[in-house]
């Protein structure tokens, strides 16, 4: 599908991509090709390209060339469904600097509809390894914020064991009130972190990232990461590889938490499929 036939939908979309006005100079992420997937401007990016962009943005931030951190968020079926049903959430996603294709259904939709499909998904739980490799080589520093008490600490320990030398300079649980946000941001800043990994669940993490980016000036990236910390402590096992490849990770998560996630996916999946099939444009 290459033409957008729905004019009102077109009007409601953000300008193709708004590079951070705060940034000076052209960064690679500004020139990235984006395509609309389920209505959301999504970067055509691989995991290793994204890790390179992270490095460039951190280097720019360290050189004082990036006034505010870039906000990087992930798109999947639930995000697409919410994007079209919740105007506030839509505004948050539109305000992000880069949306990457986290969900396998997005890759499958691109294979079905496009001449040049996406080459791979950028699952945050996998991308963290690409990011850690670059961080070890280049001395980047990470801060983990989110999940229940102790979980982000344990995830940090696990990643330090997998990537010796990776600097995870601080971590904190994700259960706090609005009145604590400013102090948390000050702690993150003073930790010397370059990248804040933010796993508060959606839409809290997207909201925190956009609302608080000014309080996090000096960092290169704020990267939302959903339940990633839980995966690295073994609290929530990942789906078997065949389910991931078939775009069925949601089914695995539904089986683990039927009351919360089964019900959610029953509602969001049909909407996500509809938006993917009717609002995915290759250019
Ligand atoms: N979480 C948090 N603070 C909250 C609510 C949730 O840190 O106030 C964490 C929760 O412990 C889990 C993550 O956010 O680690 C949510 O992960 P999930 O993948 O379920 O996110 P969702 O799919 O709901 O966006």
């Amino acid at each position: 599908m290459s033409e957008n036939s729905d004019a009102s939908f077109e009007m409601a979309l953000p300008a193709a991509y708004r590079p951070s006005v705060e940034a000076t100079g052209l960064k690679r992420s500004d020139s990235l090709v984006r395509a609309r997937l389920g209505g959301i401007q999504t970067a055509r990016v691989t995991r290793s390209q994204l890790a390179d962009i992270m490095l460039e943005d951190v280097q720019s931030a360290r050189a004082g060339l990036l006034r505010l951190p870039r906000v990087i968020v992930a798109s999947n079926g639930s995000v697409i469904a919410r994007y079209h049903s919740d105007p506030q959430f839509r505004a948050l996603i539109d305000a992000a600097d880069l949306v990457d294709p986290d969900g396998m259904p997005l890759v499958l939709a691109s294979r079905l509809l496009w001449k040049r499909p996406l080459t791979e998904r950028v699952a945050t739980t996998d991308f963290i390894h690409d990011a850690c490799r670059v961080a070890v080589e280049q001395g980047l520093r990470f801060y983990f914020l989110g999940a229940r008490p102790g979980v982000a600490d344990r995830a940090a320990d696990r990643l330090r064991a997998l990537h010796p030398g990776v600097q995870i300079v601080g971590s904190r649980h994700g259960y706090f009130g609005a009145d604590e946000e400013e102090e948390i941001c000050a702690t993150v800043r003073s930790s010397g972190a370059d990248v804040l990994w933010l796993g508060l669940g959606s839409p809290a993490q997207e909201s925190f990232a956009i609302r608080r980016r000014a309080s996090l000036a000096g960092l290169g990236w704020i990267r939302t990461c959903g339940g990633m910390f839980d995966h690295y402590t073994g609290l929530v096992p990942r789906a078997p590889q065949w389910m991931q490849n078939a775009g069925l990770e949601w089914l695995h998560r539904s089986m683990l938490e039927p009351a919360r996630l089964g019900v959610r996916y029953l509602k969001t999946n049909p909407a996500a499929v509809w938006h993917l099939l009717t609002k995915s444009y290759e250019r």
Side-chain angles (χ1 to χ4, degrees):
M1 209 174 287
S2 61
E3 290 280 313
N4 187 348
S5 51
D6 181 345
S8 61
F9 174 73
E10 178 78 48
M11 293 287 290
L13 279 169
Y17 163 66
R18 294 173 315 236
S20 291
V21 284
E22 305 79 18
T24 57
L26 186 73
K27 305 291 175 317
R28 187 183 304 179
S29 53
D30 291 334
S31 57
L32 262 185
V33 177
R34 286 165 170 78
R36 248 176 254 163
L37 259 173
I40 299 180
Q41 290 280 355
T42 309
R44 275 186 179 275
V45 67
T46 63
R47 281 164 42 192
S48 75
Q49 284 170 332
L50 193 60
D52 288 346
I53 291 168
M54 176 187 71
L55 173 62
E56 270 185 34
D57 286 341
V58 166
Q59 286 170 337
S60 298
R62 286 182 176 182
L65 298 174
L66 201 62
R67 196 167 69 77
L68 295 180
R70 302 250 191 194
V71 173
I72 316 297
V73 301
S75 180
N76 55 37
S78 302
V79 167
I80 289 172
R82 191 190 282 263
Y83 182 85
H84 293 283
S85 64
D86 176 349
Q88 283 181 338
F89 184 67
R90 184 184 186 119
L92 293 171
I93 297 294
D94 289 346
D97 294 288
L98 193 151
V99 181
D100 65 35
D102 168 87
M104 193 60 190
L106 279 65
V107 177
L108 297 178
S110 79
R111 282 188 195 151
L112 183 71
L113 299 168
W114 294 353
K115 289 199 189 82
R116 286 183 312 116
L118 297 176
T119 48
E120 65 179 21
R121 69 185 286 214
V122 182
T124 313
T125 311
D126 298 322
F127 172 65
I128 182 73
H129 297 296
D130 303 86
C132 282
R133 275 191 285 275
V134 170
V136 171
E137 282 166 23
Q138 303 288 336
L140 309 192
R141 297 179 291 266
F142 293 165
Y143 193 103
F144 285 178
L145 176 59
R148 275 160 285 160
V151 172
D153 283 344
R154 294 210 298 282
D157 285 344
R158 177 125 174 73
L159 286 162
R160 285 187 195 106
L162 290 170
H163 299 278
V166 71
Q167 297 181 63
I168 300 165
V169 292
S171 58
R172 191 200 191 281
H173 68 79
Y175 292 80
F176 50 82
D179 55 331
E180 294 172 273
E181 287 184 359
E182 196 55 55
E183 191 190 323
I184 291 170
C185 292
T187 306
V188 174
R189 273 201 325 269
S190 63
S191 74
D194 299 297
V195 175
L196 172 62
W197 295 82
L198 194 57
L200 305 176
S202 204
Q205 57 193 13
E206 289 83 5
S207 169
F208 184 100
I210 297 297
R211 283 185 297 104
R212 287 293 172 187
R213 66 197 307 196
S215 310
L216 292 162
L219 275 74
W221 263 23
I222 306 170
R223 160 86 236 201
T224 61
C225 63
M228 182 184 81
F229 304 131
D230 295 320
H231 284 297
Y232 282 99
T233 42
L235 284 176
V236 180
R238 256 189 106 194
Q241 194 61 47
W242 72 266
M243 286 185 104
Q244 293 183 40
N245 294 346
L248 292 175
E249 210 160 9
W250 61 271
L251 183 59
H252 185 257
R253 293 192 68 196
S254 301
M255 292 187 307
L256 295 175
E257 285 186 78
R260 183 172 80 97
L261 295 177
V263 171
R264 177 205 287 183
Y265 289 125
L266 273 180
K267 284 190 201 152
T268 60
N269 278 5
V273 169
W274 167 253
H275 294 305
L276 276 169
L277 291 177
T278 59
K279 301 179 184 71
S280 295
Y281 308 100
E282 193 157 9
R283 58 176 177 78

